[in-house]
Amino acid sequence: MKTLPIYTYGFDILRKKTKRLTKIDDKIVELVSNMFYTMGKANGIGLAAPQVGLDLALTVIDLTRVEGEEDTKPLTLINPKVKDSHGDIVIEEGCLSIPQIRAEVERPEKVFIEYQDLDLNPQTIELDGMISRVAQHEIDHLNGVLFVDHLSKEVKSDFREQLNLIKKGGIQANYLLAELPKKGKKSSKNYILDRI
Ligand code: ZN
């Protein structure tokens, strides 16, 4: 298993609409394993391909380390689309690509999703509760949308300074972050292991 560096706010890849997957080869299967592994190491519960620098409509979700969600089946969603939704609920969100920022976001409570599994078989699933929220956040990633885009101008402006700091690479996380491109300078990896 390989830990993949996580791309943070400011990288263009997080703003791209991803490409549909039409073929699953060994590389994709390996990528999915590495994404689950990377997510677990980062203590994350959802991870989308753009967050590991890839322009693919693929996301993984695993809530089994969350108290009360141990029985929730991990999901690999390929080419997912929200087809229907009900209700509205405000829940606080964070994002592995936007370290140290959390904010309340309003989204539908329940969603009906169409997706393909790792054999590219079409599947549908109705989600409610925490997994519904995580799936919506991840599907947003596949469309180049971040949770901060859902905030009001006023709330987002409160985070402006912190977001700019992330863009400049001035943040720390206890998981591997992708290195910002540097002009003519050699840099060390900008991650800190704060739990060793
Ligand atoms: Zn995210």
Side-chain angles (χ1 to χ4, degrees), residues 7-32:
Y7 287 66
T8 43
Y9 187 84
F11 275 99
D12 291 344
I13 186 72
L14 294 177
R15 292 307 194 178
K16 280 181 94 172
K17 191 167 168 27
T18 54
K19 293 191 192 87
R20 275 181 71 80
L21 273 166
T22 53
K23 201 183 125 203
I24 304 296
D25 56 17
D26 290 351
K27 274 191 177 166
I28 298 293
V29 174
E30 193 186 338
L31 170 66
V32 169

PDB file of all heavy atoms in Angstrom, residues 7-32:
ATOM      1  N   TYR A   7      -3.646  16.774  -2.286  1.00  0.00           N
ATOM      2  CA  TYR A   7      -3.590  18.104  -2.902  1.00  0.00           C
ATOM      3  C   TYR A   7      -4.500  19.059  -2.138  1.00  0.00           C
ATOM      4  O   TYR A   7      -5.635  18.707  -1.810  1.00  0.00           O
ATOM      5  CB  TYR A   7      -3.992  18.011  -4.384  1.00  0.00           C
ATOM      6  CG  TYR A   7      -2.899  17.373  -5.219  1.00  0.00           C
ATOM      7  CD1 TYR A   7      -2.558  16.037  -5.027  1.00  0.00           C
ATOM      8  CD2 TYR A   7      -2.179  18.124  -6.146  1.00  0.00           C
ATOM      9  CE1 TYR A   7      -1.529  15.461  -5.753  1.00  0.00           C
ATOM     10  CE2 TYR A   7      -1.146  17.543  -6.887  1.00  0.00           C
ATOM     11  CZ  TYR A   7      -0.831  16.216  -6.680  1.00  0.00           C
ATOM     12  OH  TYR A   7       0.194  15.648  -7.393  1.00  0.00           O
ATOM     13  N   THR A   8      -3.986  20.233  -1.882  1.00  0.00           N
ATOM     14  CA  THR A   8      -4.700  21.186  -1.031  1.00  0.00           C
ATOM     15  C   THR A   8      -5.261  22.370  -1.829  1.00  0.00           C
ATOM     16  O   THR A   8      -4.913  22.585  -2.989  1.00  0.00           O
ATOM     17  CB  THR A   8      -3.730  21.724   0.048  1.00  0.00           C
ATOM     18  OG1 THR A   8      -2.479  22.010  -0.569  1.00  0.00           O
ATOM     19  CG2 THR A   8      -3.517  20.717   1.157  1.00  0.00           C
ATOM     20  N   TYR A   9      -6.126  23.109  -1.156  1.00  0.00           N
ATOM     21  CA  TYR A   9      -6.774  24.303  -1.691  1.00  0.00           C
ATOM     22  C   TYR A   9      -5.755  25.167  -2.445  1.00  0.00           C
ATOM     23  O   TYR A   9      -4.696  25.490  -1.902  1.00  0.00           O
ATOM     24  CB  TYR A   9      -7.374  25.095  -0.533  1.00  0.00           C
ATOM     25  CG  TYR A   9      -8.209  26.272  -0.961  1.00  0.00           C
ATOM     26  CD1 TYR A   9      -9.537  26.106  -1.306  1.00  0.00           C
ATOM     27  CD2 TYR A   9      -7.662  27.548  -1.018  1.00  0.00           C
ATOM     28  CE1 TYR A   9     -10.314  27.186  -1.695  1.00  0.00           C
ATOM     29  CE2 TYR A   9      -8.427  28.640  -1.407  1.00  0.00           C
ATOM     30  CZ  TYR A   9      -9.749  28.438  -1.754  1.00  0.00           C
ATOM     31  OH  TYR A   9     -10.506  29.505  -2.142  1.00  0.00           O
ATOM     32  N   GLY A  10      -6.086  25.505  -3.678  1.00  0.00           N
ATOM     33  CA  GLY A  10      -5.170  26.312  -4.494  1.00  0.00           C
ATOM     34  C   GLY A  10      -4.654  25.531  -5.697  1.00  0.00           C
ATOM     35  O   GLY A  10      -4.325  26.112  -6.729  1.00  0.00           O
ATOM     36  N   PHE A  11      -4.567  24.221  -5.583  1.00  0.00           N
ATOM     37  CA  PHE A  11      -4.172  23.390  -6.727  1.00  0.00           C
ATOM     38  C   PHE A  11      -5.326  23.361  -7.746  1.00  0.00           C
ATOM     39  O   PHE A  11      -6.479  23.115  -7.372  1.00  0.00           O
ATOM     40  CB  PHE A  11      -3.879  21.954  -6.281  1.00  0.00           C
ATOM     41  CG  PHE A  11      -2.474  21.735  -5.783  1.00  0.00           C
ATOM     42  CD1 PHE A  11      -2.196  21.718  -4.420  1.00  0.00           C
ATOM     43  CD2 PHE A  11      -1.423  21.534  -6.671  1.00  0.00           C
ATOM     44  CE1 PHE A  11      -0.902  21.507  -3.950  1.00  0.00           C
ATOM     45  CE2 PHE A  11      -0.135  21.318  -6.215  1.00  0.00           C
ATOM     46  CZ  PHE A  11       0.131  21.309  -4.850  1.00  0.00           C
ATOM     47  N   ASP A  12      -4.988  23.563  -9.010  1.00  0.00           N
ATOM     48  CA  ASP A  12      -6.003  23.589 -10.074  1.00  0.00           C
ATOM     49  C   ASP A  12      -6.799  22.283 -10.177  1.00  0.00           C
ATOM     50  O   ASP A  12      -7.970  22.300 -10.545  1.00  0.00           O
ATOM     51  CB  ASP A  12      -5.343  23.847 -11.445  1.00  0.00           C
ATOM     52  CG  ASP A  12      -4.800  25.263 -11.535  1.00  0.00           C
ATOM     53  OD1 ASP A  12      -5.196  26.095 -10.687  1.00  0.00           O
ATOM     54  OD2 ASP A  12      -3.980  25.523 -12.433  1.00  0.00           O
ATOM     55  N   ILE A  13      -6.143  21.168  -9.865  1.00  0.00           N
ATOM     56  CA  ILE A  13      -6.807  19.864 -10.021  1.00  0.00           C
ATOM     57  C   ILE A  13      -8.104  19.795  -9.203  1.00  0.00           C
ATOM     58  O   ILE A  13      -9.063  19.122  -9.605  1.00  0.00           O
ATOM     59  CB  ILE A  13      -5.852  18.700  -9.623  1.00  0.00           C
ATOM     60  CG1 ILE A  13      -6.465  17.329  -9.921  1.00  0.00           C
ATOM     61  CG2 ILE A  13      -5.410  18.772  -8.166  1.00  0.00           C
ATOM     62  CD1 ILE A  13      -6.550  16.934 -11.347  1.00  0.00           C
ATOM     63  N   LEU A  14      -8.155  20.535  -8.088  1.00  0.00           N
ATOM     64  CA  LEU A  14      -9.361  20.510  -7.244  1.00  0.00           C
ATOM     65  C   LEU A  14     -10.523  21.271  -7.866  1.00  0.00           C
ATOM     66  O   LEU A  14     -11.653  21.211  -7.376  1.00  0.00           O
ATOM     67  CB  LEU A  14      -9.058  21.078  -5.857  1.00  0.00           C
ATOM     68  CG  LEU A  14      -8.098  20.280  -4.988  1.00  0.00           C
ATOM     69  CD1 LEU A  14      -7.853  21.008  -3.674  1.00  0.00           C
ATOM     70  CD2 LEU A  14      -8.631  18.880  -4.701  1.00  0.00           C
ATOM     71  N   ARG A  15     -10.235  22.015  -8.940  1.00  0.00           N
ATOM     72  CA  ARG A  15     -11.272  22.827  -9.587  1.00  0.00           C
ATOM     73  C   ARG A  15     -11.714  22.266 -10.929  1.00  0.00           C
ATOM     74  O   ARG A  15     -12.534  22.860 -11.624  1.00  0.00           O
ATOM     75  CB  ARG A  15     -10.752  24.270  -9.767  1.00  0.00           C
ATOM     76  CG  ARG A  15     -10.581  25.001  -8.447  1.00  0.00           C
ATOM     77  CD  ARG A  15     -11.855  24.926  -7.665  1.00  0.00           C
ATOM     78  NE  ARG A  15     -11.934  25.855  -6.540  1.00  0.00           N
ATOM     79  CZ  ARG A  15     -13.005  25.937  -5.765  1.00  0.00           C
ATOM     80  NH1 ARG A  15     -14.038  25.146  -5.962  1.00  0.00           N
ATOM     81  NH2 ARG A  15     -13.042  26.778  -4.774  1.00  0.00           N
ATOM     82  N   LYS A  16     -11.137  21.137 -11.308  1.00  0.00           N
ATOM     83  CA  LYS A  16     -11.475  20.540 -12.612  1.00  0.00           C
ATOM     84  C   LYS A  16     -12.672  19.611 -12.497  1.00  0.00           C
ATOM     85  O   LYS A  16     -12.828  18.914 -11.500  1.00  0.00           O
ATOM     86  CB  LYS A  16     -10.285  19.707 -13.112  1.00  0.00           C
ATOM     87  CG  LYS A  16      -9.192  20.536 -13.738  1.00  0.00           C
ATOM     88  CD  LYS A  16      -8.072  19.642 -14.229  1.00  0.00           C
ATOM     89  CE  LYS A  16      -8.228  19.278 -15.677  1.00  0.00           C
ATOM     90  NZ  LYS A  16      -7.032  18.557 -16.187  1.00  0.00           N
ATOM     91  N   LYS A  17     -13.491  19.605 -13.543  1.00  0.00           N
ATOM     92  CA  LYS A  17     -14.548  18.594 -13.603  1.00  0.00           C
ATOM     93  C   LYS A  17     -13.863  17.303 -14.062  1.00  0.00           C
ATOM     94  O   LYS A  17     -13.139  17.304 -15.053  1.00  0.00           O
ATOM     95  CB  LYS A  17     -15.627  19.040 -14.588  1.00  0.00           C
ATOM     96  CG  LYS A  17     -16.850  18.162 -14.487  1.00  0.00           C
ATOM     97  CD  LYS A  17     -18.030  18.763 -15.221  1.00  0.00           C
ATOM     98  CE  LYS A  17     -19.167  17.778 -15.392  1.00  0.00           C
ATOM     99  NZ  LYS A  17     -19.318  16.710 -14.436  1.00  0.00           N
ATOM    100  N   THR A  18     -14.076  16.227 -13.324  1.00  0.00           N
ATOM    101  CA  THR A  18     -13.334  15.002 -13.612  1.00  0.00           C
ATOM    102  C   THR A  18     -13.890  14.244 -14.820  1.00  0.00           C
ATOM    103  O   THR A  18     -15.039  14.433 -15.219  1.00  0.00           O
ATOM    104  CB  THR A  18     -13.362  14.066 -12.387  1.00  0.00           C
ATOM    105  OG1 THR A  18     -14.722  13.860 -12.022  1.00  0.00           O
ATOM    106  CG2 THR A  18     -12.589  14.661 -11.228  1.00  0.00           C
ATOM    107  N   LYS A  19     -13.061  13.368 -15.353  1.00  0.00           N
ATOM    108  CA  LYS A  19     -13.464  12.550 -16.510  1.00  0.00           C
ATOM    109  C   LYS A  19     -14.136  11.262 -16.039  1.00  0.00           C
ATOM    110  O   LYS A  19     -13.718  10.660 -15.047  1.00  0.00           O
ATOM    111  CB  LYS A  19     -12.229  12.166 -17.327  1.00  0.00           C
ATOM    112  CG  LYS A  19     -11.562  13.335 -17.991  1.00  0.00           C
ATOM    113  CD  LYS A  19     -10.524  12.818 -18.991  1.00  0.00           C
ATOM    114  CE  LYS A  19      -9.626  13.932 -19.478  1.00  0.00           C
ATOM    115  NZ  LYS A  19      -8.456  14.157 -18.619  1.00  0.00           N
ATOM    116  N   ARG A  20     -15.129  10.837 -16.798  1.00  0.00           N
ATOM    117  CA  ARG A  20     -15.797   9.566 -16.513  1.00  0.00           C
ATOM    118  C   ARG A  20     -14.831   8.417 -16.713  1.00  0.00           C
ATOM    119  O   ARG A  20     -14.021   8.441 -17.647  1.00  0.00           O
ATOM    120  CB  ARG A  20     -16.959   9.359 -17.491  1.00  0.00           C
ATOM    121  CG  ARG A  20     -18.250  10.018 -17.090  1.00  0.00           C
ATOM    122  CD  ARG A  20     -19.327   9.730 -18.110  1.00  0.00           C
ATOM    123  NE  ARG A  20     -19.757   8.329 -18.062  1.00  0.00           N
ATOM    124  CZ  ARG A  20     -20.616   7.853 -17.164  1.00  0.00           C
ATOM    125  NH1 ARG A  20     -21.155   8.658 -16.291  1.00  0.00           N
ATOM    126  NH2 ARG A  20     -20.953   6.582 -17.163  1.00  0.00           N
ATOM    127  N   LEU A  21     -14.912   7.418 -15.874  1.00  0.00           N
ATOM    128  CA  LEU A  21     -14.091   6.213 -16.061  1.00  0.00           C
ATOM    129  C   LEU A  21     -14.866   5.245 -16.947  1.00  0.00           C
ATOM    130  O   LEU A  21     -16.035   4.955 -16.690  1.00  0.00           O
ATOM    131  CB  LEU A  21     -13.827   5.558 -14.710  1.00  0.00           C
ATOM    132  CG  LEU A  21     -12.615   6.078 -13.938  1.00  0.00           C
ATOM    133  CD1 LEU A  21     -12.674   5.598 -12.503  1.00  0.00           C
ATOM    134  CD2 LEU A  21     -11.340   5.589 -14.587  1.00  0.00           C
ATOM    135  N   THR A  22     -14.208   4.758 -17.987  1.00  0.00           N
ATOM    136  CA  THR A  22     -14.892   3.832 -18.896  1.00  0.00           C
ATOM    137  C   THR A  22     -14.222   2.463 -18.906  1.00  0.00           C
ATOM    138  O   THR A  22     -14.718   1.528 -19.530  1.00  0.00           O
ATOM    139  CB  THR A  22     -14.902   4.391 -20.336  1.00  0.00           C
ATOM    140  OG1 THR A  22     -13.569   4.710 -20.704  1.00  0.00           O
ATOM    141  CG2 THR A  22     -15.756   5.642 -20.438  1.00  0.00           C
ATOM    142  N   LYS A  23     -13.092   2.365 -18.205  1.00  0.00           N
ATOM    143  CA  LYS A  23     -12.366   1.103 -18.165  1.00  0.00           C
ATOM    144  C   LYS A  23     -11.702   0.963 -16.795  1.00  0.00           C
ATOM    145  O   LYS A  23     -11.140   1.933 -16.286  1.00  0.00           O
ATOM    146  CB  LYS A  23     -11.283   1.146 -19.250  1.00  0.00           C
ATOM    147  CG  LYS A  23     -10.775  -0.206 -19.681  1.00  0.00           C
ATOM    148  CD  LYS A  23      -9.646  -0.042 -20.697  1.00  0.00           C
ATOM    149  CE  LYS A  23      -8.443  -0.792 -20.196  1.00  0.00           C
ATOM    150  NZ  LYS A  23      -7.186  -0.350 -20.729  1.00  0.00           N
ATOM    151  N   ILE A  24     -11.828  -0.203 -16.211  1.00  0.00           N
ATOM    152  CA  ILE A  24     -11.162  -0.440 -14.923  1.00  0.00           C
ATOM    153  C   ILE A  24     -10.015  -1.414 -15.163  1.00  0.00           C
ATOM    154  O   ILE A  24     -10.247  -2.580 -15.491  1.00  0.00           O
ATOM    155  CB  ILE A  24     -12.142  -1.042 -13.886  1.00  0.00           C
ATOM    156  CG1 ILE A  24     -13.372  -0.148 -13.706  1.00  0.00           C
ATOM    157  CG2 ILE A  24     -11.439  -1.283 -12.550  1.00  0.00           C
ATOM    158  CD1 ILE A  24     -13.123   1.227 -13.139  1.00  0.00           C
ATOM    159  N   ASP A  25      -8.808  -0.930 -15.037  1.00  0.00           N
ATOM    160  CA  ASP A  25      -7.646  -1.829 -15.184  1.00  0.00           C
ATOM    161  C   ASP A  25      -6.968  -2.000 -13.821  1.00  0.00           C
ATOM    162  O   ASP A  25      -7.433  -1.468 -12.812  1.00  0.00           O
ATOM    163  CB  ASP A  25      -6.688  -1.302 -16.259  1.00  0.00           C
ATOM    164  CG  ASP A  25      -6.240   0.119 -15.966  1.00  0.00           C
ATOM    165  OD1 ASP A  25      -6.407   0.570 -14.803  1.00  0.00           O
ATOM    166  OD2 ASP A  25      -5.733   0.780 -16.888  1.00  0.00           O
ATOM    167  N   ASP A  26      -5.862  -2.741 -13.812  1.00  0.00           N
ATOM    168  CA  ASP A  26      -5.166  -3.005 -12.540  1.00  0.00           C
ATOM    169  C   ASP A  26      -4.729  -1.717 -11.853  1.00  0.00           C
ATOM    170  O   ASP A  26      -4.698  -1.642 -10.623  1.00  0.00           O
ATOM    171  CB  ASP A  26      -3.933  -3.892 -12.779  1.00  0.00           C
ATOM    172  CG  ASP A  26      -4.346  -5.302 -13.162  1.00  0.00           C
ATOM    173  OD1 ASP A  26      -5.547  -5.605 -13.061  1.00  0.00           O
ATOM    174  OD2 ASP A  26      -3.465  -6.097 -13.571  1.00  0.00           O
ATOM    175  N   LYS A  27      -4.381  -0.727 -12.668  1.00  0.00           N
ATOM    176  CA  LYS A  27      -3.923   0.551 -12.097  1.00  0.00           C
ATOM    177  C   LYS A  27      -5.031   1.225 -11.295  1.00  0.00           C
ATOM    178  O   LYS A  27      -4.774   1.817 -10.246  1.00  0.00           O
ATOM    179  CB  LYS A  27      -3.481   1.495 -13.221  1.00  0.00           C
ATOM    180  CG  LYS A  27      -2.045   1.285 -13.630  1.00  0.00           C
ATOM    181  CD  LYS A  27      -1.607   2.413 -14.529  1.00  0.00           C
ATOM    182  CE  LYS A  27      -0.129   2.245 -14.872  1.00  0.00           C
ATOM    183  NZ  LYS A  27       0.289   3.089 -15.967  1.00  0.00           N
ATOM    184  N   ILE A  28      -6.252   1.146 -11.798  1.00  0.00           N
ATOM    185  CA  ILE A  28      -7.384   1.759 -11.084  1.00  0.00           C
ATOM    186  C   ILE A  28      -7.675   0.980  -9.797  1.00  0.00           C
ATOM    187  O   ILE A  28      -7.929   1.570  -8.746  1.00  0.00           O
ATOM    188  CB  ILE A  28      -8.651   1.821 -11.984  1.00  0.00           C
ATOM    189  CG1 ILE A  28      -8.399   2.706 -13.219  1.00  0.00           C
ATOM    190  CG2 ILE A  28      -9.861   2.316 -11.208  1.00  0.00           C
ATOM    191  CD1 ILE A  28      -8.207   4.181 -12.945  1.00  0.00           C
ATOM    192  N   VAL A  29      -7.616  -0.352  -9.890  1.00  0.00           N
ATOM    193  CA  VAL A  29      -7.859  -1.187  -8.705  1.00  0.00           C
ATOM    194  C   VAL A  29      -6.818  -0.857  -7.630  1.00  0.00           C
ATOM    195  O   VAL A  29      -7.144  -0.699  -6.443  1.00  0.00           O
ATOM    196  CB  VAL A  29      -7.832  -2.690  -9.079  1.00  0.00           C
ATOM    197  CG1 VAL A  29      -7.927  -3.571  -7.836  1.00  0.00           C
ATOM    198  CG2 VAL A  29      -8.969  -3.009 -10.048  1.00  0.00           C
ATOM    199  N   GLU A  30      -5.569  -0.705  -8.050  1.00  0.00           N
ATOM    200  CA  GLU A  30      -4.490  -0.357  -7.124  1.00  0.00           C
ATOM    201  C   GLU A  30      -4.713   1.055  -6.557  1.00  0.00           C
ATOM    202  O   GLU A  30      -4.510   1.289  -5.360  1.00  0.00           O
ATOM    203  CB  GLU A  30      -3.149  -0.415  -7.875  1.00  0.00           C
ATOM    204  CG  GLU A  30      -1.949  -0.383  -6.954  1.00  0.00           C
ATOM    205  CD  GLU A  30      -0.636  -0.301  -7.724  1.00  0.00           C
ATOM    206  OE1 GLU A  30      -0.614  -0.691  -8.925  1.00  0.00           O
ATOM    207  OE2 GLU A  30       0.346   0.161  -7.138  1.00  0.00           O
ATOM    208  N   LEU A  31      -5.150   1.961  -7.411  1.00  0.00           N
ATOM    209  CA  LEU A  31      -5.425   3.333  -6.969  1.00  0.00           C
ATOM    210  C   LEU A  31      -6.496   3.336  -5.871  1.00  0.00           C
ATOM    211  O   LEU A  31      -6.355   4.023  -4.855  1.00  0.00           O
ATOM    212  CB  LEU A  31      -5.874   4.191  -8.162  1.00  0.00           C
ATOM    213  CG  LEU A  31      -6.419   5.581  -7.821  1.00  0.00           C
ATOM    214  CD1 LEU A  31      -5.334   6.480  -7.227  1.00  0.00           C
ATOM    215  CD2 LEU A  31      -7.049   6.238  -9.053  1.00  0.00           C
ATOM    216  N   VAL A  32      -7.556   2.558  -6.087  1.00  0.00           N
ATOM    217  CA  VAL A  32      -8.642   2.494  -5.100  1.00  0.00           C
ATOM    218  C   VAL A  32      -8.099   1.987  -3.756  1.00  0.00           C
ATOM    219  O   VAL A  32      -8.386   2.572  -2.706  1.00  0.00           O
ATOM    220  CB  VAL A  32      -9.807   1.623  -5.614  1.00  0.00           C
ATOM    221  CG1 VAL A  32     -10.810   1.320  -4.501  1.00  0.00           C
ATOM    222  CG2 VAL A  32     -10.513   2.315  -6.783  1.00  0.00           C
TER     223      VAL A  32
END
